[in-house]
């Protein structure tokens, strides 16, 4: 069984037991989240597509914790003397574990 959910403007294909990195939110570890914007639900009985969402479908996940992503570097260089810069950035994510898909 799987579902396609929308969170933070992105679509994720999720299955029970799967861990997904979402945009950071200040939620403590162990708390549960419910996603109501489910675009499609697939399983043994076939595929249910929503228009735009599937009625009565929801995905429940528990928060594993916050994590930092890979370090990215942004470099700027101008062809003048001493005119360059290098800045690093690490994005914060919230890791969740999918526990249940309802509405299949």
């Amino acid at each position: 069984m799987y579902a396609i959910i929308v969170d933070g403007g992105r679509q994720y294909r999720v299955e029970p037991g799967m861990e997904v990195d979402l945009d950071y939110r200040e939620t403590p570890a162990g708390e549960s989240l419910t996603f109501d914007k489910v675009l499609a639900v697939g399983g043994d009985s076939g595929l249910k597509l929503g228009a735009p969402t599937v009625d009565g479908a929801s995905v429940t996940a528990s928060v594993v914790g916050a994590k930092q992503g890979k370090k990215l570097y942004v470099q700027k260089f101008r062809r003048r003397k001493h005119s360059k810069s290098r800045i690093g950035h690490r994005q914060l994510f919230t890791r969740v574990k999918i526990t249940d898909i309802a509405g299949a």
Side-chain angles (χ1 to χ4, degrees):
M1 175 182 285
Y2 68 93
I4 298 175
I5 62 171
V6 175
D7 184 60
R10 294 180 192 84
Q11 296 178 6
Y12 300 94
R13 182 186 189 274
V14 296
E15 297 175 4
M18 184 177 182
E19 291 190 353
V20 182
D21 291 335
L22 304 176
D23 287 337
Y24 179 73
R25 53 185 85 186
E26 293 184 11
T27 342
E31 195 167 314
S32 68
L33 297 173
T34 303
F35 302 102
D36 295 328
K37 292 184 179 180
V38 179
L39 301 179
V41 176
D44 296 334
S45 62
L47 178 67
K48 285 186 188 177
L49 292 175
T53 59
V54 179
D55 293 330
S58 65
V59 174
T60 307
S62 64
V63 176
V64 175
K67 96 171 218 189
Q68 282 189 321
K70 184 178 151 185
K71 188 162 203 171
L72 302 175
Y73 292 103
V74 179
Q75 294 182 344
K76 296 180 183 178
F77 180 80
R78 294 173 214 77
R79 55 191 181 98
R80 303 288 180 261
K81 191 172 184 180
H82 303 297
S83 183
K84 60 185 174 182
S85 64
R86 181 178 183 193
I87 300 170
H89 174 74
R90 289 184 75 179
Q91 185 72 31
L92 280 175
F93 296 106
T94 299
R95 178 162 277 193
V96 298
K97 184 171 185 173
I98 306 300
T99 56
D100 185 38
I101 298 174

